[in-house]
Amino acid sequence: MKNVEDMEKTGKIHYTDVDTPIGKMFLGSLNNNICCVTLKKERISFLCEKTGLTAEEKRTKPLKKLTDDLERYFSGEKIAFKEAVVFLYGTSLERRVWRATMQIPWGETRSYKWVSMKAGLKNGWRIVGRALSKNPLLIIVPCHRVIKSNGSLGGFTPGLNVKRKLLNIEKSIRGKHGET
C-alpha cells in the first residue's frame, strides 16, 4: 500500500457503498486513490467541505477492487489491503499516527502507547486516541487493532461492538491459517 498524500487534490471524489456484517460501508476515491472507508455517508460530504471537491456516486476500478477485498475479508479470507491511499485531511501529527497504525501486523493488536512510540510521540497515547477517532480509512488504517496497555479494548468511534467484531473476524481467520 502506498501513501500518495502529496498528490494534487483535484477532480471528483467518487464513492460507493457496500453492505457488510458491521453495517453499510461507504468507500471513496480520488484520482484512483482510496480516500475514505467509513460507516457514515456524511464523511463523504465532510471530505468535500474540507477539500472544496465535489462527489459523485460511481464505482470506479479502485472502489470495485476495495469492495471485492472487503467482501473477501468479511467472508473469512486474510486480505492485505494494497490499495493506494490518500489522506485528504488531518494534521501532520494525525497522519503520522495513521501511518504508524498501518504497521500493526494483520490479526494482531498493539497498545496506544506502541502506536505513540512508532509515531515518535513519547507518552502521546492520548494524542493517538484523538487521531484514531478521526481515522478516514476504517480497516485499511486498522485502528480496531489498537487497545489499551492493560489489554482492554479502549475506544472506537464506530462503537466497541464493531471493534470486537473486526478483532474476532481477524482472530478466526488467523486460526484458519494456522497462525497463533
Side-chain angles (χ1 to χ4, degrees):
M1 174 172 327
K2 63 179 181 172
N3 292 304
V4 287
E5 298 169 37
D6 297 325
M7 66 174 273
E8 189 176 340
K9 294 178 180 91
T10 60
K12 273 190 181 169
I13 296 173
H14 293 109
Y15 70 94
T16 191
D17 61 59
V18 59
D19 290 317
T20 74
I22 62 169
K24 187 176 289 270
M25 294 186 81
F26 298 90
L27 318 175
S29 71
L30 176 64
N31 302 328
N32 294 317
N33 301 287
I34 302 301
C35 63
C36 185
V37 179
T38 183
L39 292 169
K40 296 182 178 183
K41 189 174 182 180
E42 306 84 58
R43 292 288 267 197
I44 303 295
S45 300
F46 172 78
L47 288 177
C48 291
E49 290 171 22
K50 282 287 213 186
T51 61
L53 298 171
T54 59
E56 176 184 4
E57 188 168 358
K58 180 179 179 184
R59 190 170 288 204
T60 59
K61 187 175 180 179
L63 292 178
K64 171 74 172 114
K65 174 154 181 7
L66 180 56
T67 298
D68 293 345
D69 285 351
L70 286 168
E71 288 172 353
R72 290 172 42 221
Y73 171 86
F74 285 113
S75 293
E77 249 183 85
K78 182 177 177 179
I79 299 296
F81 295 97
K82 296 186 180 198
E83 291 78 4
V85 301
V86 61
F87 297 120
L88 295 182
Y89 67 92
T91 66
S92 62
L93 183 73
E94 289 167 341
R95 291 174 188 214
R96 280 187 6 224
V97 167
W98 298 334
R99 282 192 298 273
T101 303
M102 291 170 81
Q103 296 176 38
I104 300 172
W106 191 96
E108 296 182 20
T109 58
R110 295 291 186 269
S111 69
Y112 290 91
K113 183 177 181 178
W114 182 92
V115 175
S116 170
M117 298 304 284
K118 279 289 187 184
L121 305 168
K122 186 178 179 187
N123 299 320
W125 50 90
R126 286 188 185 100
I127 293 168
V128 168
R130 281 193 299 276
L132 292 179
S133 74
K134 300 174 184 178
N135 177 7
L137 298 166
L138 184 64
I139 300 176
I140 292 176
V141 174
C143 55
H144 62 282
R145 296 179 191 154
V146 181
I147 61 173
K148 289 185 172 183
S149 294
N150 68 8
S152 65
L153 289 181
F156 194 59
T157 301
L160 291 180
N161 285 337
V162 173
K163 187 171 190 169
R164 277 187 207 94
K165 282 182 185 179
L166 293 173
L167 290 172
N168 287 335
I169 286 168
E170 291 185 12
K171 182 180 176 183
S172 69
I173 294 171
R174 270 185 80 147
K176 287 180 189 177
H177 292 272
E179 301 167 22
T180 55

